Amino acid sequence: MFDLAQIPLSIYLHWPWCIRKCPYCDFNSRKLPDSLEEMRYVAALLKDLNNWRLRAGNRKITSIFVGGGTPSLMSGRAVEALIDGVSKRFELEENCEITLEANPGTVDEKKLTAFRAAGINRISLGIQSFCDERLKRLGRIHSVEDARNAIRATQKVFDNFNLDLMFALPGETIDGLLSELDEAVSSGATHLSCYQLTIEPGTAFAKHVPADLPDDDLTADMGDVVVERLAAAGYERYEVSGYARAGRRCRHNLNYWTFGDYLAAGAGAHGKMTTRDGIFREMRIQSPSRYLAQVETIGNGIEEQYAIEPEARPFEFMLNALRLVEGVPARVFEERTGLLLDTIRPQRAALEAKGLLDTNPEIIRATPLGIRFLSDLQESFL
Ligand SMILES: C[S@@+](CC[C@H](N)C(=O)[O-])C[C@H]1O[C@@H](n2cnc3c(N)ncnc32)[C@H](O)[C@@H]1O
Ligand code: SF4
Protein backbone atom coordinates (compact mmCIF):
# COMPACT_ATOMS: atom_id res chain seq x y z
CA MET A 1 0.00 0.00 0.00
CA PHE A 2 1.19 3.50 -0.74
CA ASP A 3 2.34 5.93 1.92
CA LEU A 4 0.96 9.06 0.27
CA ALA A 5 2.79 11.37 2.67
CA GLN A 6 6.06 10.23 1.00
CA ILE A 7 4.99 11.24 -2.50
CA PRO A 8 5.44 14.93 -3.39
CA LEU A 9 2.52 16.65 -5.10
CA SER A 10 2.89 19.41 -7.74
CA ILE A 11 0.51 21.36 -9.95
CA TYR A 12 0.86 21.88 -13.73
CA LEU A 13 -1.25 24.58 -15.40
CA HIS A 14 -1.26 24.81 -19.18
CA TRP A 15 -1.71 27.99 -21.25
CA PRO A 16 -2.18 26.83 -24.86
CA TRP A 17 -1.57 29.99 -26.91
CA CYS A 18 1.46 31.71 -28.48
CA ILE A 19 1.90 34.78 -30.71
CA ARG A 20 2.56 32.32 -33.51
CA LYS A 21 3.56 28.68 -33.83
CA CYS A 22 7.31 27.92 -34.11
CA PRO A 23 8.11 25.42 -36.92
CA TYR A 24 9.91 22.90 -34.65
CA CYS A 25 7.40 22.85 -31.78
CA ASP A 26 4.95 20.02 -31.03
CA PHE A 27 3.73 21.32 -27.68
CA ASN A 28 -0.03 21.83 -27.40
CA SER A 29 0.09 25.45 -28.53
CA ARG A 30 -1.55 27.51 -31.24
CA LYS A 31 -1.83 31.09 -32.44
CA LEU A 32 -3.56 33.41 -30.01
CA PRO A 33 -7.05 34.27 -31.25
CA ASP A 34 -7.83 37.97 -31.89
CA SER A 35 -10.21 38.16 -28.98
CA LEU A 36 -9.35 36.02 -26.02
CA GLU A 37 -11.09 36.32 -22.67
CA GLU A 38 -8.15 35.41 -20.44
CA MET A 39 -10.17 35.66 -17.22
CA ARG A 40 -12.62 33.14 -18.65
CA TYR A 41 -9.74 30.70 -19.20
CA VAL A 42 -8.37 31.33 -15.69
CA ALA A 43 -11.84 30.67 -14.24
CA ALA A 44 -11.97 27.39 -16.19
CA LEU A 45 -8.52 26.32 -14.90
CA LEU A 46 -9.62 26.91 -11.33
CA LYS A 47 -12.94 25.17 -11.79
CA ASP A 48 -11.16 22.19 -13.35
CA LEU A 49 -8.68 22.08 -10.46
CA ASN A 50 -11.59 21.50 -8.08
CA ASN A 51 -11.80 17.97 -9.51
CA TRP A 52 -8.51 17.10 -7.83
CA ARG A 53 -9.26 18.46 -4.37
CA LEU A 54 -10.78 15.35 -2.87
CA ARG A 55 -8.00 13.10 -4.18
CA ALA A 56 -5.29 15.51 -3.01
CA GLY A 57 -6.63 15.29 0.55
CA ASN A 58 -4.47 17.33 2.89
CA ARG A 59 -1.24 16.85 0.93
CA LYS A 60 0.74 20.09 0.52
CA ILE A 61 1.83 21.37 -2.89
CA THR A 62 5.61 21.41 -3.40
CA SER A 63 5.72 23.25 -6.76
CA ILE A 64 3.52 24.89 -9.37
CA PHE A 65 4.47 25.24 -13.04
CA VAL A 66 2.57 27.54 -15.40
CA GLY A 67 3.66 26.25 -18.80
CA GLY A 68 2.66 26.48 -22.41
CA GLY A 69 2.38 27.68 -25.01
CA THR A 70 3.34 31.13 -23.84
CA PRO A 71 1.82 31.84 -20.41
CA SER A 72 3.73 35.15 -20.27
CA LEU A 73 1.02 36.42 -22.65
CA MET A 74 -1.23 36.54 -19.59
CA SER A 75 -1.67 39.84 -17.79
CA GLY A 76 -0.40 40.30 -14.24
CA ARG A 77 -4.03 40.44 -13.13
CA ALA A 78 -4.79 37.03 -14.66
CA VAL A 79 -1.70 35.42 -13.10
CA GLU A 80 -2.65 36.92 -9.75
CA ALA A 81 -6.18 35.50 -9.98
CA LEU A 82 -4.73 32.12 -10.96
CA ILE A 83 -2.18 31.81 -8.15
CA ASP A 84 -4.63 33.23 -5.65
CA GLY A 85 -7.26 30.71 -6.75
CA VAL A 86 -4.79 27.83 -6.48
CA SER A 87 -3.75 28.81 -2.95
CA LYS A 88 -7.38 29.02 -1.86
CA ARG A 89 -7.96 25.45 -3.08
CA PHE A 90 -4.74 23.77 -1.94
CA GLU A 91 -2.26 24.23 0.86
CA LEU A 92 1.12 25.29 -0.56
CA GLU A 93 4.37 24.38 1.14
CA GLU A 94 6.07 27.39 2.64
CA ASN A 95 8.88 27.41 0.05
CA CYS A 96 6.70 26.24 -2.86
CA GLU A 97 8.53 26.79 -6.18
CA ILE A 98 6.21 28.67 -8.57
CA THR A 99 7.53 28.89 -12.14
CA LEU A 100 6.08 30.67 -15.16
CA GLU A 101 7.35 30.14 -18.72
CA ALA A 102 8.05 33.31 -20.63
CA ASN A 103 8.85 34.08 -24.24
CA PRO A 104 11.36 36.98 -24.42
CA GLY A 105 9.19 38.73 -27.02
CA THR A 106 6.36 39.11 -24.51
CA VAL A 107 7.82 40.45 -21.25
CA ASP A 108 9.23 43.66 -19.80
CA GLU A 109 10.17 44.72 -16.27
CA LYS A 110 6.66 45.99 -15.48
CA LYS A 111 5.01 42.74 -16.45
CA LEU A 112 7.60 40.63 -14.63
CA THR A 113 7.11 42.77 -11.51
CA ALA A 114 3.39 42.06 -11.68
CA PHE A 115 4.10 38.31 -12.01
CA ARG A 116 6.39 38.50 -8.96
CA ALA A 117 3.70 40.30 -6.97
CA ALA A 118 1.23 37.60 -8.02
CA GLY A 119 3.43 34.96 -6.35
CA ILE A 120 5.60 33.69 -9.20
CA ASN A 121 9.11 33.09 -7.78
CA ARG A 122 10.90 31.51 -10.76
CA ILE A 123 10.90 32.45 -14.45
CA SER A 124 11.84 30.19 -17.35
CA LEU A 125 12.81 32.21 -20.43
CA GLY A 126 12.66 30.55 -23.85
CA ILE A 127 15.85 32.07 -25.31
CA GLN A 128 16.70 29.17 -27.70
CA SER A 129 19.67 30.95 -29.30
CA PHE A 130 21.82 34.07 -29.00
CA CYS A 131 22.21 34.34 -32.77
CA ASP A 132 19.77 36.41 -34.85
CA GLU A 133 20.20 34.28 -37.95
CA ARG A 134 19.33 31.09 -36.04
CA LEU A 135 16.41 32.73 -34.25
CA LYS A 136 15.02 33.60 -37.68
CA ARG A 137 15.46 30.04 -38.90
CA LEU A 138 13.59 28.88 -35.79
CA GLY A 139 10.72 31.25 -36.58
CA ARG A 140 11.05 32.99 -33.22
CA ILE A 141 9.14 36.22 -32.61
CA HIS A 142 12.12 37.89 -30.89
CA SER A 143 15.64 39.07 -31.73
CA VAL A 144 18.82 38.58 -29.68
CA GLU A 145 18.42 42.18 -28.48
CA ASP A 146 14.89 41.36 -27.21
CA ALA A 147 16.31 38.32 -25.44
CA ARG A 148 19.01 40.43 -23.77
CA ASN A 149 16.42 42.98 -22.66
CA ALA A 150 14.20 40.23 -21.25
CA ILE A 151 17.17 38.76 -19.36
CA ARG A 152 18.10 42.19 -17.92
CA ALA A 153 14.50 42.74 -16.79
CA THR A 154 14.32 39.23 -15.29
CA GLN A 155 17.61 39.75 -13.40
CA LYS A 156 16.13 42.85 -11.76
CA VAL A 157 12.96 41.13 -10.57
CA PHE A 158 13.84 37.46 -9.99
CA ASP A 159 16.80 35.85 -8.24
CA ASN A 160 15.87 32.42 -9.60
CA PHE A 161 15.51 31.97 -13.35
CA ASN A 162 16.11 29.45 -16.10
CA LEU A 163 17.05 29.91 -19.74
CA ASP A 164 15.91 27.38 -22.36
CA LEU A 165 18.49 26.90 -25.12
CA MET A 166 18.53 24.59 -28.09
CA PHE A 167 21.59 23.21 -29.86
CA ALA A 168 22.31 21.28 -33.07
CA LEU A 169 20.41 24.03 -34.89
CA PRO A 170 20.47 24.56 -38.67
CA GLY A 171 23.82 26.04 -39.71
CA GLU A 172 25.27 25.91 -36.18
CA THR A 173 28.98 25.34 -35.58
CA ILE A 174 30.93 24.40 -32.43
CA ASP A 175 32.37 27.93 -32.22
CA GLY A 176 28.89 29.41 -32.51
CA LEU A 177 27.61 27.11 -29.78
CA LEU A 178 30.52 28.00 -27.48
CA SER A 179 29.83 31.70 -27.72
CA GLU A 180 26.12 31.10 -27.08
CA LEU A 181 26.93 29.07 -23.97
CA ASP A 182 29.22 31.84 -22.74
CA GLU A 183 26.46 34.38 -23.10
CA ALA A 184 24.00 32.09 -21.28
CA VAL A 185 26.48 31.65 -18.43
CA SER A 186 27.11 35.38 -18.13
CA SER A 187 23.36 36.01 -17.77
CA GLY A 188 23.49 34.88 -14.14
CA ALA A 189 20.75 32.29 -14.73
CA THR A 190 20.50 29.84 -11.83
CA HIS A 191 19.42 27.07 -14.21
CA LEU A 192 19.95 26.24 -17.88
CA SER A 193 17.95 23.77 -19.94
CA CYS A 194 19.87 22.77 -23.09
CA TYR A 195 17.82 20.73 -25.51
CA GLN A 196 19.14 19.07 -28.64
CA LEU A 197 16.81 20.12 -31.47
CA THR A 198 14.48 17.22 -32.26
CA ILE A 199 12.56 17.05 -35.51
CA GLU A 200 9.11 16.21 -34.17
CA PRO A 201 6.56 14.45 -36.41
CA GLY A 202 3.75 16.71 -37.58
CA THR A 203 5.75 19.97 -37.27
CA ALA A 204 6.67 22.31 -40.13
CA PHE A 205 10.32 21.21 -39.72
CA ALA A 206 9.27 17.58 -40.24
CA LYS A 207 7.60 18.55 -43.51
CA HIS A 208 10.60 20.55 -44.73
CA VAL A 209 13.62 19.33 -42.80
CA PRO A 210 16.31 22.06 -42.76
CA ALA A 211 19.10 21.01 -45.15
CA ASP A 212 21.98 22.26 -43.02
CA LEU A 213 21.35 20.45 -39.74
CA PRO A 214 24.57 19.26 -38.05
CA ASP A 215 25.27 15.57 -38.78
CA ASP A 216 25.27 12.91 -36.04
CA ASP A 217 28.99 13.24 -35.25
CA LEU A 218 28.85 17.00 -34.97
CA THR A 219 25.66 16.77 -32.87
CA ALA A 220 27.33 14.33 -30.47
CA ASP A 221 30.36 16.66 -30.21
CA MET A 222 28.03 19.56 -29.48
CA GLY A 223 26.39 17.56 -26.69
CA ASP A 224 29.84 17.03 -25.13
CA VAL A 225 30.71 20.72 -25.52
CA VAL A 226 27.53 21.71 -23.66
CA VAL A 227 28.30 19.42 -20.71
CA GLU A 228 31.96 20.47 -20.47
CA ARG A 229 31.45 24.21 -20.90
CA LEU A 230 28.62 24.39 -18.40
CA ALA A 231 30.47 22.23 -15.86
CA ALA A 232 33.49 24.56 -16.14
CA ALA A 233 31.15 27.48 -15.44
CA GLY A 234 29.72 25.86 -12.29
CA TYR A 235 26.47 24.42 -13.68
CA GLU A 236 26.03 20.83 -12.65
CA ARG A 237 24.34 18.54 -15.14
CA TYR A 238 21.77 16.77 -12.96
CA GLU A 239 19.43 15.58 -15.71
CA VAL A 240 19.87 14.81 -19.43
CA SER A 241 19.05 18.43 -20.42
CA GLY A 242 19.10 20.14 -17.00
CA TYR A 243 22.02 22.14 -15.55
CA ALA A 244 21.85 23.98 -12.24
CA ARG A 245 23.84 26.12 -9.86
CA ALA A 246 24.14 24.61 -6.37
CA GLY A 247 20.73 24.37 -4.68
CA ARG A 248 18.88 25.53 -7.80
CA ARG A 249 17.67 22.31 -9.38
CA CYS A 250 14.13 22.64 -10.67
CA ARG A 251 11.94 21.10 -7.98
CA HIS A 252 9.00 20.77 -10.33
CA ASN A 253 10.88 18.78 -12.95
CA LEU A 254 12.60 16.72 -10.25
CA ASN A 255 9.16 15.66 -9.11
CA TYR A 256 8.32 14.38 -12.62
CA TRP A 257 11.63 12.54 -12.84
CA THR A 258 11.21 10.85 -9.47
CA PHE A 259 7.71 9.65 -10.42
CA GLY A 260 5.97 12.01 -8.02
CA ASP A 261 2.34 13.09 -8.33
CA TYR A 262 1.03 16.16 -10.14
CA LEU A 263 -2.38 17.64 -10.63
CA ALA A 264 -3.01 19.24 -13.99
CA ALA A 265 -5.47 21.67 -15.51
CA GLY A 266 -5.63 23.40 -18.88
CA ALA A 267 -6.02 22.28 -22.50
CA GLY A 268 -4.00 19.10 -23.15
CA ALA A 269 -2.51 18.97 -19.62
CA HIS A 270 -1.64 15.57 -18.13
CA GLY A 271 -1.85 14.72 -14.44
CA LYS A 272 -0.72 11.73 -12.38
CA MET A 273 -2.13 10.84 -9.01
CA THR A 274 -1.54 8.05 -6.52
CA THR A 275 -4.45 7.10 -4.28
CA ARG A 276 -5.12 4.16 -1.97
CA ASP A 277 -6.66 2.44 -5.03
CA GLY A 278 -3.67 2.73 -7.36
CA ILE A 279 -1.88 5.16 -9.70
CA PHE A 280 -3.92 7.07 -12.26
CA ARG A 281 -3.26 9.30 -15.22
CA GLU A 282 -5.72 11.91 -16.40
CA MET A 283 -5.60 13.80 -19.71
CA ARG A 284 -7.37 17.09 -20.45
CA ILE A 285 -8.99 17.88 -23.83
CA GLN A 286 -6.38 19.28 -26.26
CA SER A 287 -8.48 21.86 -28.08
CA PRO A 288 -8.78 25.07 -26.00
CA SER A 289 -12.31 25.85 -27.24
CA ARG A 290 -13.57 22.33 -26.52
CA TYR A 291 -11.77 22.34 -23.18
CA LEU A 292 -13.42 25.62 -22.17
CA ALA A 293 -16.84 24.45 -23.32
CA GLN A 294 -16.65 21.18 -21.39
CA VAL A 295 -15.36 22.77 -18.16
CA GLU A 296 -18.10 25.37 -18.33
CA THR A 297 -20.86 22.86 -18.95
CA ILE A 298 -19.96 19.79 -16.88
CA GLY A 299 -17.27 21.18 -14.58
CA ASN A 300 -14.20 19.27 -15.79
CA GLY A 301 -11.93 19.17 -18.84
CA ILE A 302 -11.17 15.44 -18.65
CA GLU A 303 -10.68 13.60 -21.95
CA GLU A 304 -9.31 10.32 -20.64
CA GLN A 305 -8.50 8.65 -17.36
CA TYR A 306 -6.72 5.35 -16.82
CA ALA A 307 -4.88 3.36 -14.18
CA ILE A 308 -1.15 2.68 -14.54
CA GLU A 309 -1.29 -1.06 -14.02
CA PRO A 310 1.48 -2.73 -11.98
CA GLU A 311 3.03 -4.29 -15.16
CA ALA A 312 3.46 -0.83 -16.72
CA ARG A 313 4.95 0.85 -13.66
CA PRO A 314 8.63 -0.23 -13.92
CA PHE A 315 8.94 1.24 -17.44
CA GLU A 316 7.07 4.42 -16.51
CA PHE A 317 9.29 4.85 -13.47
CA MET A 318 12.51 4.28 -15.43
CA LEU A 319 11.42 6.59 -18.25
CA ASN A 320 11.75 9.37 -15.70
CA ALA A 321 14.26 8.26 -13.06
CA LEU A 322 17.02 7.20 -15.45
CA ARG A 323 17.22 10.74 -16.85
CA LEU A 324 18.69 11.85 -13.53
CA VAL A 325 22.49 11.81 -13.50
CA GLU A 326 22.57 10.81 -9.82
CA GLY A 327 19.67 8.39 -10.27
CA VAL A 328 17.30 7.82 -7.36
CA PRO A 329 17.55 5.86 -4.11
CA ALA A 330 16.25 2.33 -4.80
CA ARG A 331 13.62 2.63 -2.03
CA VAL A 332 11.93 5.40 -4.07
CA PHE A 333 11.04 2.72 -6.65
CA GLU A 334 9.05 0.82 -4.01
CA GLU A 335 7.55 3.99 -2.53
CA ARG A 336 6.30 5.39 -5.86
CA THR A 337 5.35 2.24 -7.81
CA GLY A 338 3.98 0.16 -4.93
CA LEU A 339 6.09 -2.77 -6.23
CA LEU A 340 8.94 -4.63 -4.59
CA LEU A 341 12.47 -4.15 -5.97
CA ASP A 342 12.46 -7.89 -6.57
CA THR A 343 10.11 -7.28 -9.51
CA ILE A 344 12.93 -5.68 -11.50
CA ARG A 345 15.83 -7.77 -10.20
CA PRO A 346 16.43 -9.74 -13.45
CA GLN A 347 16.44 -6.61 -15.65
CA ARG A 348 18.74 -4.78 -13.25
CA ALA A 349 21.19 -7.68 -13.19
CA ALA A 350 21.29 -7.93 -17.00
CA LEU A 351 21.83 -4.19 -17.42
CA GLU A 352 24.50 -4.08 -14.71
CA ALA A 353 26.35 -6.86 -16.53
CA LYS A 354 26.33 -4.74 -19.70
CA GLY A 355 27.70 -1.74 -17.79
CA LEU A 356 24.56 0.33 -18.39
CA LEU A 357 23.28 0.45 -14.82
CA ASP A 358 25.11 1.21 -11.56
CA THR A 359 25.84 -1.92 -9.50
CA ASN A 360 25.14 -0.23 -6.15
CA PRO A 361 21.98 -1.99 -4.87
CA GLU A 362 20.91 1.11 -2.90
CA ILE A 363 20.57 3.24 -6.01
CA ILE A 364 18.96 3.11 -9.44
CA ARG A 365 21.22 5.04 -11.80
CA ALA A 366 22.29 4.88 -15.43
CA THR A 367 26.07 4.77 -15.91
CA PRO A 368 27.56 7.38 -18.33
CA LEU A 369 27.35 4.63 -21.00
CA GLY A 370 23.73 4.00 -20.01
CA ILE A 371 22.89 7.71 -20.44
CA ARG A 372 24.21 7.48 -24.02
CA PHE A 373 21.85 4.59 -24.76
CA LEU A 374 19.03 5.83 -22.58
CA SER A 375 16.07 4.68 -24.67
CA ASP A 376 17.46 1.12 -24.96
CA LEU A 377 18.00 1.12 -21.23
CA GLN A 378 14.47 2.34 -20.50
CA GLU A 379 12.92 -0.13 -22.93
CA SER A 380 14.50 -3.03 -21.06
CA PHE A 381 11.88 -2.41 -18.38
CA LEU A 382 8.94 -2.71 -20.78
C1 LIG B 1 6.86 25.50 -23.97
S1 LIG B 1 8.39 25.98 -24.61
C2 LIG B 1 8.96 27.38 -23.59
C3 LIG B 1 8.27 28.70 -23.44
C4 LIG B 1 7.88 29.54 -24.62
N1 LIG B 1 6.82 28.90 -25.31
C5 LIG B 1 9.00 29.82 -25.60
O1 LIG B 1 9.15 29.05 -26.52
O2 LIG B 1 9.68 30.82 -25.39
C6 LIG B 1 9.46 24.75 -23.94
C7 LIG B 1 10.86 24.60 -24.49
O3 LIG B 1 11.01 23.36 -25.16
C8 LIG B 1 12.08 23.44 -26.08
N2 LIG B 1 11.66 22.80 -27.32
C9 LIG B 1 10.47 22.94 -27.96
N3 LIG B 1 10.45 22.19 -29.09
C10 LIG B 1 11.65 21.55 -29.18
C11 LIG B 1 12.24 20.65 -30.11
N4 LIG B 1 11.60 20.25 -31.19
N5 LIG B 1 13.50 20.20 -29.86
C12 LIG B 1 14.16 20.60 -28.76
N6 LIG B 1 13.65 21.45 -27.85
C13 LIG B 1 12.41 21.93 -28.05
C14 LIG B 1 12.40 24.92 -26.27
O4 LIG B 1 13.65 25.19 -25.71
C15 LIG B 1 11.29 25.62 -25.49
O5 LIG B 1 11.74 26.77 -24.85
S1 SF4 C 1 6.63 29.98 -28.45
FE1 SF4 C 1 7.23 28.11 -27.30
S2 SF4 C 1 5.36 26.87 -27.08
FE2 SF4 C 1 4.94 28.50 -28.58
S3 SF4 C 1 5.26 27.51 -30.52
FE3 SF4 C 1 7.20 28.47 -29.98
S4 SF4 C 1 8.37 26.92 -28.79
FE4 SF4 C 1 6.25 26.21 -28.95
Side-chain angles (χ1 to χ4, degrees), residues 1-4 7 54-55 59 261 273-281 306-310 313 336-338:
M1 220 356 86
F2 294 103
D3 177 3
L4 299 179
I7 308 178
L54 209 59
R55 285 172 288 170
R59 293 166 70 185
D261 282 348
M273 180 64 126
T274 309
T275 70
R276 310 243 165 254
D277 302 321
I279 310 177
F280 299 89
R281 275 202 197 288
Y306 64 87
I308 309 178
E309 299 298 347
R313 291 180 200 164
R336 310 275 158 100
T337 64

Side-chain angles (χ1 to χ4, degrees), residues 67-350:
T70 305
S72 52
L73 286 170
M74 294 166 93
S75 66
R77 188 170 81 95
V79 175
E80 187 181 349
L82 183 61
I83 302 303
D84 204 43
V86 172
S87 33
K88 286 199 173 103
R89 283 162 177 78
F90 300 94
E91 197 178 341
L92 309 189
E93 265 189 7
E94 205 176 315
N95 56 351
C96 183
E97 177 192 271
I98 309 182
T99 305
L100 181 132
E101 274 187 334
N103 183 314
T106 63
V107 284
D108 55 21
E109 191 179 331
K110 190 164 163 241
K111 194 166 205 189
L112 290 165
T113 305
F115 290 163
R116 185 85 184 91
I120 303 295
N121 54 30
R122 184 174 182 273
I123 287 284
S124 176
L125 277 175
I127 299 293
Q128 322 308 351
S129 170
F130 284 106
C131 164
D132 275 320
E133 200 187 313
R134 286 195 277 281
L135 287 178
K136 250 197 208 121
R137 295 289 301 277
L138 292 172
R140 298 291 295 177
I141 57 164
H142 57 90
S143 63
V144 173
E145 201 39 48
D146 295 332
R148 290 181 183 141
N149 287 336
I151 291 171
R152 273 192 286 272
T154 305
Q155 286 166 339
K156 284 193 193 159
V157 185
F158 289 88
D159 67 345
N160 194 14
F161 66 96
N162 167 66
L163 305 185
D164 278 345
L165 295 170
M166 294 196 288
F167 67 93
L169 300 177
E172 195 173 26
T173 60
I174 294 275
D175 280 348
L177 174 61
L178 281 168
S179 77
E180 300 217 15
L181 292 171
D182 287 345
E183 179 147 6
V185 164
S186 69
S187 73
T190 48
H191 191 286
L192 298 170
S193 300
C194 292
Y195 303 108
Q196 180 186 321
L197 174 69
T198 317
I199 304 298
E200 302 285 357
T203 58
F205 268 12
K207 228 178 263 165
H208 302 286
V209 180
D212 50 350
L213 284 176
D215 64 21
D216 288 350
D217 284 347
L218 182 52
T219 300
D221 289 347
M222 286 180 168
D224 293 342
V225 161
V226 171
V227 179
E228 283 157 23
R229 197 63 157 212
L230 296 186
Y235 289 88
E236 192 187 9
R237 184 192 200 199
Y238 68 102
E239 187 268 341
V240 174
S241 311
Y243 301 79
R245 293 261 187 230
R248 297 299 202 168
R249 295 177 181 191
C250 173
R251 293 179 72 192
H252 189 81
N253 286 343
L254 272 174
N255 192 35
Y256 291 147
W257 296 320
T258 53
F259 210 51
D261 282 348
Y262 41 97
L263 320 180
H270 292 196
K272 166 187 172 276
M273 180 64 126
T274 309
T275 70
R276 310 243 165 254
D277 302 321
I279 310 177
F280 299 89
R281 275 202 197 288
E282 227 175 68
M283 270 70 107
R284 261 55 190 164
I285 294 171
Q286 290 251 341
S287 143
S289 53
R290 282 184 41 235
Y291 173 79
L292 269 169
Q294 181 169 312
V295 176
E296 287 172 353
T297 48
I298 64 167
N300 73 65
I302 303 170
E303 169 117 299
E304 196 190 347
Q305 212 174 25
Y306 64 87
I308 309 178
E309 299 298 347
E311 314 77 75
R313 291 180 200 164
F315 174 67
E316 293 240 4
F317 182 89
M318 297 301 170
L319 207 50
N320 294 287
L322 293 177
R323 293 178 62 92
L324 290 169
V325 173
E326 288 171 8
V328 291
R331 63 164 171 78
V332 172
F333 176 85
E334 297 197 335
E335 235 169 63
R336 310 275 158 100
T337 64
L339 305 172
L340 293 174
L341 277 163
D342 272 353
T343 335
I344 53 167
R345 206 197 331 221
Q347 292 100 315
R348 278 180 93 186

Side-chain angles (χ1 to χ4, degrees), residues 18 20-22 24-25 27 29 68-70 103 140:
C18 298
R20 66 164 184 255
K21 184 79 183 171
C22 303
Y24 55 87
C25 174
F27 283 80
S29 63
T70 305
N103 183 314
R140 298 291 295 177

